[in-house]
C-alpha cells in the first residue's frame, strides 16, 4: 500500500499541472452544473415506516386536502382596543378570506358547499359543544352571527390566532407561495390598527452554507498551521486542499440536488467535516515531508513521495475509518440520515483523494521552498539542544500513568452525569432564542391561547369495513377523545369527499416537546377506550406526532448503529495495528469521550449552563438525531488521531524501540501535529456554534467539544498511559491471526527497505562502472 502511494506522490510531484488541471476541471464541471440546473434542498425530515408518516402518506393518496402542513398567523391590536371591533374584525376577515382563496390553502367553506354536509357539520358542532367546558380563555371570531373558520381570539381581545390547513407540506411551499401568504395576511393592516405577526410554522428552514463565524474558524485554523509548520507557504497548502475538497464534495451535492432529494442540513454537515479532515490530512502529509527533509536531508521531491507513501497510508486508513463510521448509518435505513451520511462520507473520500494527488502536485510547484535554509539550520541547532516539551510531558506522564488514567476516567465520568437526563426531540419555537420571531410568536400563542396551540395533533378515523364513517360514530369518537386528560380542545375537521375518512383536530394542553404530549399520542394510538362503541380505527399524525415518532425511532436504532460501527472499526484497527489490545483500548477511550460529550451538550443546550457564552438563552431538547450522527462522526475522527499517533509508536516499535521507549519516540514524532490537527478541527467546528440555527449550534458544539476531549484527554493522556501499563504486550497478536491478516505496511517499513535496496543497487552499479 505504501509503495503504491509513494508512486502516486512521486508522479504528482513530477507532473503537477496534470493533476492540478484534473481537479480544476472537475470543479469547473460542478460549477457549470450548478449554474445550469440550480440548487434544490428540502428541510423535510421524515422516517418512512413510522406511524405518523404512514398516516400522512395514506392521506396524501386518499384525502390530499388534509395531508398538507398547517400554517398560522397572529394578529395583534394595541392595548385598550379589541381585535373584534367592527373595523378590525372586517379587516381581519378580509385577510382570512384572501388566504383561503389561495390555491395552496384548504378553504373549509368550499368543503361545506353542500347544504347537507353543512347541516351535518353544524349538528356535530352542536353535539361537541355539549361535551366541552373549555378551560382555555379564548373564543371564536364571529361576524354576522357566523364564526370565522380557524380564527380564535384571546381572553383580553387583543390577539387573534388564525390557523389554516395547507394542501402541501410547509417544506414544499415555494418562495412565491410564501410571499402570497404574507401579502394576504398583510391585508389585515389596511384600514385598521392590526399588526400581523408571522409564526414559526411558515418560516422556511434557511441554513446558510458559510458565514462570518465559519470564516473566523478558518482564520484560526490558518494561524495554527503557521505556528505548527513555521511557514506561510506550507500553512497555505492544507487550506487550499481542504477548500478544493469541500468545493468538489459540497458542490457536487448541490449539482445533483435536482436528481436526488437533499436535506438542507446535509451540505452544512459535509462542509463541517470536509473542512476539518481536509486540513488535517494535508497537514499530516506536509509535516511528514518537512520532517524528512530536515531529519534525513532528502530532496523535496523524494521527501514528498515518501510522505505520501507513509503519512499518506495513515491518511487513507484514517479516512476509511471515518467513511465506515458514516456509512454505518445507511444500514439503519432512515432516508434523511442516509443522505447526510452518504454526502459526508463522499466528501471525506474526496478529501483523501485530494490529499494524495493534488497535494503532492502543489508540493511539486513549490519545490525546495517548502523548507527554507533558515528553517533547516534552525532545526539542526534545535536537534542538539534540550529535550522538547513533548518529550518532557510524555516522560512525566508515563511515570504517573495510573494516576493519569484514573484522573481522566473521573473527569469524563463527571462530565457524563447529565446524560441520564438527556431529552431528545425536534427543535421548536420553545427552544429558539428569545429575540427570534419563532420564539416570540411561540410565547404569544402560549400566553394567549395555551402552549398546545403550538403543536396541534391530527387524528384520522376510518371505518374498519371501509364504509363511510357514520356521523353518530364520529360524534362518539369525538366524545371518547375529549375524555383524555391531556387534551385542551377537540374539534371536528370534516370528511373526505366519499365520507370514508374523517378528520379530528386536537389541541394538547402541553407543548409539542413535552413528555405529556408524547404520552398523549401513545394513549390515543393504544388505548382501546379511544374507539370504544365505534367501528372505527384511528391514526395520529401532524408535525408534533411525526417529530415524536422520529425521536423514538432514532432512539431505537442507536444501539444497533453503535454495534455496527464499533465492530467494523475494530476490524480495521486490528488490520492496521496488528494488535488485539489497541483496538479495544481505542474503543474504550472513545466511549468515555462520547458520554462526556453528550453530558456537556445536555448541560449547555438542555439545562442552559453557560448558554450566554454560546449564544443561547433558552434550554430545550437535544436534536433527536444528534446521538447517532455525532457518534458516527466523532468515532471516525477519534480513530484518525488514534491512527496518526499510534502508527508513529508502532513505527518506532518496528524499528527496534521497546516498551516505553517506543511510546516516547512515537509520541515525540506525532504529538505536535496531532495537537495542531485537533485544534484546527475544534476551530472549524466551533465556528458553527455561533450561527443562528439551533440545530447547527448543537452539532457544532458536540463535535468541537468531542474532539477537544478525545484528542487531549483520551489520545494524548489515556492512550499512552494505558499502553505503558501493558508494555510490549500491547502489540500482541496470535500467530495464527498474524498469518491471516494482510500486511498493509502502513508504517512504510517495506517501502523503506525497497528504497534502501534500490539505493544500494545504484551505488554498486556506479562503483562497477568506475572500476
Amino acid at each position: 500500500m505504501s509503495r503504491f502511494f509513494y508512486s502516486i506522490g512521486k508522479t504528482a510531484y513530477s507532473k503537477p499541472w496534470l493533476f492540478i488541471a484534473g481537479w480544476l476541471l472537475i470543479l469547473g464541471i460542478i460549477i457549470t452544473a450548478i449554474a445550469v440546473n440550480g440548487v434544490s434542498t428540502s428541510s423535510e425530515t421524515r422516517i418512512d415506516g413510522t406511524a405518523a408518516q404512514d398516516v400522512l402518506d395514506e392521506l396524501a393518496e386518499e384525502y390530499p386536502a388534509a395531508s398538507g402542513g398547517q400554517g398560522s398567523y397572529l394578529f395583534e391590536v394595541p392595548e385598550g382596543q379589541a381585535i373584534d371591533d367592527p373595523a378590525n374584525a372586517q379587516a381581519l376577515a378580509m385577510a382570512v378570506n384572501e388566504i383561503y382563496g389561495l390555491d395552496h390553502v384548504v378553504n373549509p367553506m368550499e368543503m361545506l358547499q353542500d347544504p347537507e354536509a353543512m347541516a351535518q357539520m353544524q349538528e356535530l358542532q352542536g353535539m361537541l359543544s355539549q361535551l366541552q367546558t373549555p378551560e382555555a380563555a379564548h373564543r371564536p371570531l364571529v361576524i354576522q352571527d357566523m364564526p370565522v373558520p380557524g380564527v380564535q381570539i384571546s381572553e383580553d381581545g387583543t390577539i387573534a390566532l388564525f390557523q389554516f390547513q395547507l394542501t402541501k407540506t410547509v417544506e414544499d411551499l415555494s418562495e412565491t407561495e410564501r410571499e402570497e401568504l404574507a401579502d394576504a395576511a398583510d391585508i389585515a393592516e389596511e384600514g385598521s390598527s392590526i399588526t400581523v405577526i408571522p409564526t414559526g410554522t411558515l418560516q422556511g428552514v434557511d441554513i446558510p452554507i458559510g458565514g462570518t463565524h465559519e470564516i473566523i474558524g478558518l482564520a484560526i485554523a490558518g494561524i495554527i498551521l503557521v505556528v505548527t509548520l513555521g511557514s506561510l507557504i506550507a500553512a497555505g497548502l492544507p487550506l487550499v486542499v481542504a477548500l478544493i475538497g469541500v468545493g468538489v464534495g459540497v458542490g457536487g451535492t448541490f449539482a445533483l440536488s435536482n436528481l436526488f432529494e437533499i436535506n438542507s442540513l446535509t451540505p452544512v454537515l459535509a462542509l463541517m467535516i470536509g473542512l476539518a479532515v481536509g486540513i488535517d490530512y494535508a497537514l499530516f502529509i506536509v509535516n511528514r515531508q518537512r520532517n524528512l527533509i530536515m531529519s534525513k536531508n532528502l530532496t523535496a521531491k523524494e521527501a514528498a513521495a515518501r510522505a505520501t507513501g507513509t503519512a499518506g497510508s495513515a491518511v487513507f486508513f484514517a479516512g476509511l475509518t471515518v467513511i465506515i463510521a458514516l456509512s454505518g448509518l445507511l444500514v439503519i435505513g432512515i432516508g434523511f440520515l442516509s443522505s447526510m451520511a452518504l454526502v459526508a462520507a463522499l466528501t471525506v473520500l474526496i478529501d483523501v483523494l485530494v490529499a494524495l494527488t493534488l497535494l503532492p502536485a502543489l508540493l511539486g510547484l513549490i519545490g525546495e521552498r517548502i523548507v527554507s535554509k533558515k528553517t533547516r539550520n534552525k532545526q539542526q541547532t534545535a536537534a542538539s539542544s534540550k529535550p522538547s516539551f513533548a518529550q518532557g510531558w510524555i516522560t512525566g506522564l508515563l511515570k504517573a500513568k495510573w494516576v493519569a488514567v484514573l484522573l481522566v476516567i473521573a473527569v469524563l465520568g463527571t462530565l457524563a452525569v447529565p446524560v441520564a437526563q438527556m431529552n431528545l426531540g425536534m427543535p421548536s419555537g420553545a427552544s429558539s432564542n428569545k429575540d427570534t420571531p419563532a420564539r416570540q410568536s411561540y410565547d404569544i400563542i402560549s400566553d394567549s391561547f395555551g402552549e398546545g396551540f403550538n403543536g396541534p395533533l391530527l387524528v384520522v378515523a376510518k371505518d374498519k369495513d371501509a364504509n363511510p364513517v357514520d356521523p353518530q360514530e364520529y360524534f362518539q369518537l369525538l366524545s371518547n377523545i375529549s375524555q383524555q386528560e391531556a387534551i385542551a380542545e377537540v374539534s371536528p375537521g370534516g370528511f373526505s369527499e366519499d365520507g370514508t375518512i374523517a378528520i379530528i383536530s386536537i389541541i394538547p394542553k402541553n407543548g409539542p416537546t413535552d413528555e405529556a404530549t408524547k404520552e398523549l399520542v401513545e394513549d390515543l394510538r393504544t388505548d382501546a377506550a379511544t374507539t370504544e362503541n365505534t367501528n372505527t380505527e384511528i391514526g395520529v399524525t401532524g408535525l408534533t406526532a411525526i417529530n415524536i415518532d422520529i425521536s423514538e425511532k432514532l432512539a431505537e436504532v442507536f444501539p444497533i448503529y453503535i454495534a455496527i460501527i464499533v465492530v467494523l472499526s475494530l476490524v480495521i484497527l486490528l488490520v492496521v495495528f496488528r494488535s488485539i489490545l489497541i483496538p479495544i483500548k481505542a474503543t474504550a477511550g472513545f466511549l468515555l469521550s462520547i458520554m462526556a460529550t453528550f453530558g456537556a451538550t445536555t448541560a449547555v443546550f438542555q439545562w442552559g449552563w453557560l448558554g450566554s457564552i454560546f449564544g443561547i438563552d433558552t434550554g430545550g431538547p437535544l436534536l433527536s438525531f444528534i446521538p447517532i450522527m455525532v457518534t458516527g462522526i466523532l468515532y471516525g475522527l477519534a480513530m484518525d488521531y488514534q491512527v496518526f499517533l499510534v502508527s508513529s509508536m508502532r513505527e518506532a516499535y518496528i524499528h527496534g524501540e521497546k516498551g516505553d521507549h517506543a511510546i516516547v519516540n512515537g509520541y515525540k514524532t506525532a504529538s505536535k501535529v496531532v495537537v495542531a490537527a485537533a485544534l484546527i478541527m475544534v476551530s472549524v467546528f466551533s465556528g458553527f456554534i455561533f450561527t443562528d440555527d439551533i440545530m447547527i449550534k448543537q452539532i457544532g458544539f458536540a463535535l468541537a467539544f468531542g474532539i477537544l476531549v478525545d484528542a487531549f484527554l483520551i489520545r494524548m493522556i489515556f492512550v499512552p498511559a494505558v499502553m505503558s501499563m501493558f508494555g510490549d504486550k500491547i502489540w500482541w497478536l496470535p500467530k495464527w491471526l498474524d498469518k491471516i491478516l494482510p500486511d498493509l505496511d502502513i508504517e512504510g517499513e517495506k517501502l523503506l527497505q525497497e528504497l534502501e535496496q534500490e539505493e544500494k543497487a545504484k551505488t554498486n552499479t556506479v562503483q562497477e562502472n568506475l572500476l
Side-chain angles (χ1 to χ4, degrees):
M1 185 66 73
S2 57
R3 181 73 194 196
F4 173 70
F5 290 138
Y6 172 85
S7 300
I8 291 177
K10 200 165 191 175
T11 303
Y13 191 99
S14 302
K15 301 177 180 179
W17 285 112
L18 178 65
F19 288 83
I20 294 172
W23 282 108
L24 291 178
L25 177 62
I26 294 172
L27 197 58
I29 292 172
I30 289 172
I31 293 173
T32 303
I34 293 174
V36 172
N37 300 320
V39 173
S40 175
T41 60
S42 170
S43 58
E44 182 181 16
T45 302
R46 60 176 287 156
I47 297 182
D48 293 326
T50 57
Q53 190 63 55
D54 287 345
V55 172
L56 199 61
D57 291 343
E58 186 177 5
L59 278 179
E61 290 184 11
E62 301 182 21
Y63 191 7
S67 66
Q70 190 175 55
S72 62
Y73 278 100
L74 285 167
F75 301 89
E76 184 178 27
V77 294
E79 189 175 351
Q81 297 190 32
I83 198 144
D84 53 354
D85 285 345
N88 292 333
Q90 188 62 34
L92 177 56
M94 289 178 63
V96 169
N97 288 334
E98 189 71 20
I99 290 175
Y100 276 145
L102 297 175
D103 292 338
H104 49 285
V105 178
V106 177
N107 188 342
M109 301 311 295
E110 286 183 2
M111 297 171 63
L112 299 175
Q113 291 286 335
D114 182 5
E116 183 178 346
M118 173 69 83
Q120 186 183 77
M121 186 58 69
Q122 287 176 340
E123 180 184 0
L124 286 168
Q125 289 278 20
M127 292 178 179
L128 190 63
S129 65
Q130 302 172 21
L131 296 174
Q132 295 179 329
T133 54
E135 298 175 8
H138 57 266
R139 62 187 188 277
L141 173 67
V142 178
I143 297 181
Q144 296 179 349
D145 297 327
M146 289 290 293
V148 177
V151 181
Q152 297 285 334
I153 299 176
S154 63
E155 182 182 21
D156 64 4
T158 61
I159 295 174
L161 171 64
F162 174 41
Q163 294 180 312
F164 50 90
Q165 184 73 25
L166 298 164
T167 60
K168 58 178 74 174
T169 63
V170 175
E171 292 81 10
D172 288 337
L173 290 177
S174 66
E175 189 60 36
T176 300
E177 290 171 330
R178 294 179 195 274
E179 290 175 359
E180 288 175 351
L181 281 167
D183 292 341
D186 288 342
I187 290 175
E189 296 183 346
E190 299 176 6
S192 73
S193 56
I194 293 175
T195 299
V196 179
I197 305 173
T199 67
T201 59
L202 294 174
Q203 295 173 5
V205 180
D206 183 21
I207 299 177
I209 306 299
T212 305
H213 300 303
E214 292 89 326
I215 293 173
I216 293 174
L218 281 177
I220 295 173
I223 294 171
I224 295 170
L225 287 169
V226 172
V227 173
T228 303
L229 298 174
S231 164
L232 285 173
I233 295 177
L237 290 177
L239 292 175
V240 172
V241 167
L243 291 173
I244 294 293
V246 297
V248 173
V250 177
T253 301
F254 284 141
L256 297 174
S257 62
N258 285 294
L259 300 177
F260 307 97
E261 185 173 296
I262 303 295
N263 188 280
S264 54
L265 194 59
T266 298
V268 180
L269 192 65
L271 179 65
M272 276 189 193
I273 300 171
L275 283 175
V277 302
I279 293 173
D280 280 5
Y281 292 169
L283 169 61
F284 285 119
I285 294 176
V286 172
N287 184 70
R288 178 63 65 90
Q289 185 215 21
R290 286 167 54 84
N291 286 342
L292 287 172
I293 291 174
M294 292 184 286
S295 62
K296 303 291 185 181
N297 200 28
L298 297 175
T299 63
K301 179 178 181 179
E302 181 62 21
R306 292 193 184 189
T308 309
T310 52
S313 295
V315 163
F316 177 80
F317 286 104
L320 185 60
T321 306
V322 179
I323 291 169
I324 286 177
L326 290 168
S327 299
L329 288 167
L330 303 179
V331 180
I332 294 173
I334 296 175
F336 76 95
L337 279 182
S338 294
S339 67
M340 287 184 192
L342 188 60
V343 170
L346 288 174
T347 303
V348 172
L349 176 61
I350 291 168
D351 277 334
V352 171
L353 295 177
V354 170
L356 294 175
T357 57
L358 179 62
L359 179 58
L362 294 175
L363 290 172
L365 290 182
I366 296 172
E368 299 295 339
R369 290 175 296 165
I370 193 67
V371 180
S372 65
K373 291 183 178 179
K374 180 180 178 181
T375 303
R376 296 188 194 206
N377 295 335
K378 183 179 179 181
Q379 180 69 18
Q380 290 173 358
T381 302
S384 58
S385 63
K386 61 181 181 180
S388 64
F389 173 80
Q391 183 173 351
W393 169 264
I394 187 62
T395 302
L397 173 65
L398 297 186
K399 290 179 180 178
K401 52 196 169 192
W402 288 99
V403 174
V405 168
L406 293 175
L407 190 60
V408 167
I409 293 174
V411 170
L412 297 185
T414 303
L415 288 171
V417 169
V419 170
Q421 298 183 37
M422 183 169 63
N423 181 28
L424 299 176
M426 297 300 287
S428 69
S431 57
S432 299
N433 280 353
K434 294 178 181 178
D435 59 351
T436 61
R439 173 60 184 277
Q440 291 168 354
S441 63
Y442 185 97
D443 288 343
I444 292 173
I445 292 173
S446 298
D447 295 340
S448 302
F449 303 95
E451 199 169 4
F453 273 86
N454 287 293
L457 300 172
L458 194 67
V459 171
V460 180
K462 298 181 70 175
D463 186 88
K464 292 179 180 178
D465 300 323
N467 296 319
V469 177
D470 182 83
Q472 291 298 326
E473 291 195 357
Y474 184 45
F475 169 68
Q476 181 64 54
L477 192 58
L478 287 165
S479 176
N480 294 344
I481 292 175
S482 66
Q483 304 305 312
Q484 288 279 356
E485 193 66 32
I487 292 178
E489 289 189 20
V490 179
S491 58
F495 295 83
S496 61
E497 189 173 347
D498 61 5
T500 59
I501 297 178
I503 302 298
I504 299 172
S505 178
I506 294 176
I507 303 297
K509 288 183 178 178
N510 304 97
T513 61
D514 286 1
E515 189 63 33
T517 304
K518 296 179 185 178
E519 293 175 0
L520 171 61
V521 171
E522 184 66 22
D523 289 343
L524 288 170
R525 289 170 173 169
T526 60
D527 191 349
T530 304
T531 55
E532 189 176 9
N533 299 323
T534 74
N535 191 44
T536 60
E537 55 187 10
I538 67 168
V540 184
T541 188
L543 182 60
T544 298
I546 289 173
N547 288 343
I548 290 171
D549 288 352
I550 287 175
S551 299
E552 290 180 351
K553 178 66 174 179
L554 291 171
E556 288 176 8
V557 299
F558 183 58
I560 300 172
Y561 174 64
I562 288 290
I564 290 171
I565 66 166
V566 167
V567 170
L568 290 177
S569 296
L570 282 175
V571 171
I572 288 183
L573 293 176
L574 174 65
V575 173
V576 169
F577 293 116
R578 309 184 72 79
S579 164
I580 296 290
L581 295 176
I582 285 180
I584 296 174
K585 173 233 9 159
T587 304
F590 171 74
L591 292 176
L592 284 172
S593 63
I594 196 66
M595 293 301 290
T597 297
F598 289 146
T601 307
T602 299
V604 171
F605 289 94
Q606 185 175 310
W607 295 355
W609 289 9
L610 304 177
S612 59
I613 297 177
F614 301 105
I616 60 171
D617 54 26
T618 304
L622 300 190
L623 196 61
S624 55
F625 57 82
I626 269 191
I628 283 184
M629 184 60 72
V630 169
T631 297
I633 296 170
L634 285 183
Y635 193 90
L637 299 179
M639 294 309 106
D640 276 6
Y641 299 132
Q642 177 75 13
V643 169
F644 291 124
L645 182 65
V646 180
S647 62
S648 292
M649 296 176 183
R650 178 171 171 78
E651 187 175 349
Y653 175 77
I654 288 175
H655 289 147
E657 299 287 347
K658 299 299 179 183
D660 285 356
H661 293 290
I663 296 173
V664 170
N665 286 337
Y667 194 96
K668 286 193 303 181
T669 302
S671 60
K672 179 182 178 182
V673 72
V674 168
V675 167
L679 290 175
I680 287 169
M681 277 204 180
V682 171
S683 301
V684 172
F685 290 145
S686 294
F688 291 87
I689 298 175
F690 301 98
T691 58
D692 294 329
D693 187 87
I694 189 64
M695 294 187 292
I696 303 299
K697 277 180 175 291
Q698 290 185 5
I699 293 175
F701 176 85
L703 292 177
F705 188 87
I707 290 297
L708 192 66
V709 167
D710 195 272
F712 290 96
L713 294 184
I714 297 298
R715 307 306 149 188
M716 291 289 102
I717 298 176
F718 183 82
V719 165
V722 172
M723 290 179 68
S724 178
M725 291 177 183
F726 286 93
D728 286 344
K729 292 180 181 178
I730 197 73
W731 308 107
W732 174 77
L733 184 70
K735 292 183 178 180
W736 63 269
L737 188 57
D738 186 48
K739 294 178 180 179
I740 297 175
L741 294 178
D743 188 355
L744 301 176
D745 190 30
I746 190 172
E747 299 83 14
E749 178 67 14
K750 291 183 178 179
L751 171 63
L752 295 178
Q753 291 177 357
E754 291 176 10
L755 293 176
E756 288 176 2
Q757 291 175 358
E758 290 175 5
E759 190 63 32
K760 287 181 181 179
K762 289 180 182 178
T763 303
N764 292 336
T765 302
V766 171
Q767 290 177 346
E768 290 175 0
N769 291 335
L770 290 174
L771 293 174

